[in-house]
Amino acid sequence: MTARPALTVMLVSALLCAHDGAAAARLLGFARDAATQRYLYTEVHDNQTTADGALLQGQTLYYDAQGREVARRSLDFRGNRTVPVYRLDVPAQGYSEGISALTPQLALFKSDQGRTERKALSPEGDLIAADAGFNNLMLAQFKGIQAGETVRFTLVVAGRTDSFRFRARKVGEETVNGEAAVRVKVEPDSVLRMLVDPIELVYDARGTRLLRYTGVSNLLDPATRQVYRKVVITYGGPAPAEAAFPGAPAATAR
């Protein structure tokens, strides 16, 4: 069996799409190995929002450092802002996962090299998130986090066909490209903290945008068939010279 992402896996950009009067937008994420700074992949998020900024649906394409598409994900948040219907496919690894329905229970699935698992799940708690809906949850709770509150929530992980308790809290402030920013630590709210590395999110101080993600990747290293254990993904800004993807600036195209 292919080793799947750890419990802290989440796809950090909150996406949603097409709808009458929706506005299209593109967000790019640039991923590097945290230890070596080797460029790993580019995330291309094509989103659409309503006039007031609410997210509806979206698609994310992932390109390796050579500009080859290695994975794609579709998202639909129309039924729930923090728990989307979604599907992630990694064809070369023979892997897919997602949530196919929200009612009467969450319908989770994953398929790994021909072996498929399905599970109906009714997660407990007032705050529940899955996949990119996790970012929507963090944004909705940002004022409390910035004020020093610890936010506890349930994270649904389709890759494990299960849910787990997590917590998020502010751990510091910094400046990113001249902009005030807030660091948020996310970790299991259980003894799993002893086994699962935390992740760190950096948001602008107004709580409107994710600027940086540091933690385990949701993609596999094709050379090892293991997850990239610790990546740094930056969002927005000019594309690095190593980034290759359709529509990239000529200086970065491969």
Side-chain angles (χ1 to χ4, degrees):
M1 294 292 292
T2 302
R4 296 314 310 160
L7 300 182
T8 47
V9 133
M10 62 88 168
L11 302 174
V12 288
S13 56
L15 312 173
L16 306 153
C17 213
H19 174 282
D20 288 344
R26 170 165 284 190
L27 174 67
L28 302 177
F30 309 110
R32 295 181 182 275
D33 182 278
T36 67
Q37 292 301 300
R38 178 170 65 95
Y39 195 82
L40 300 177
Y41 57 88
T42 303
E43 302 175 350
V44 179
H45 306 279
D46 284 312
N47 316 322
Q48 289 182 346
T49 64
T50 61
D52 61 1
L55 300 170
L56 299 170
Q57 293 175 292
Q59 177 176 264
T60 306
L61 300 180
Y62 300 82
Y63 297 92
D64 66 14
Q66 288 70 49
R68 298 171 298 203
E69 182 184 322
V70 293
R72 63 173 53 205
R73 177 188 61 176
S74 61
L75 294 147
D76 187 340
F77 286 80
R78 289 172 296 180
N80 191 300
R81 286 272 296 153
T82 63
V83 182
V85 170
Y86 84 96
R87 181 183 180 96
L88 170 70
D89 289 292
V90 190
Q93 305 292 344
Y95 182 81
S96 62
E97 68 171 51
I99 299 175
S100 59
L102 304 182
T103 59
Q105 294 176 293
L106 300 185
L108 278 58
F109 70 89
K110 72 170 181 179
S111 180
D112 195 347
Q113 297 184 351
R115 179 178 177 180
T116 300
E117 297 180 41
R118 300 183 183 276
K119 185 176 182 179
L121 189 69
S122 297
E124 299 179 354
D126 295 329
L127 299 178
I128 302 170
D131 200 71
F134 169 79
N135 191 53
N136 281 343
L137 179 63
M138 291 295 98
L139 292 173
Q141 300 296 317
F142 185 79
K143 287 185 178 179
I145 292 174
Q146 191 174 37
E149 297 177 10
T150 296
V151 172
R152 290 177 166 83
F153 61 97
T154 298
L155 181 64
V156 177
V157 183
R160 296 296 183 96
T161 58
D162 208 343
S163 63
F164 305 87
R165 295 294 297 168
F166 274 75
R167 66 188 185 188
R169 59 187 176 88
K170 177 181 175 180
V171 293
E173 299 176 349
E174 63 179 87
T175 301
V176 178
N177 297 326
E179 183 176 11
V182 174
R183 297 199 311 274
V184 179
K185 181 180 181 180
V186 181
E187 62 186 353
D189 192 24
S190 68
V191 294
L192 283 175
R193 286 193 302 277
M194 306 299 292
L195 302 173
V196 176
D197 292 335
I199 65 174
E200 183 181 87
L201 309 175
V202 176
Y203 288 94
D204 72 296
R206 294 175 299 167
T208 62
R209 291 176 294 117
L210 179 67
L211 303 177
R212 188 174 71 234
Y213 167 90
T214 303
V216 67
S217 173
N218 61 305
L219 296 186
L220 298 179
D221 181 345
T224 65
R225 296 185 63 80
Q226 304 292 319
V227 292
Y228 296 107
R229 299 304 305 174
K230 191 173 184 180
V231 299
V232 177
I233 308 175
T234 56
Y235 292 91
E242 305 97 319
F245 56 95
T252 66
R254 301 287 176 105

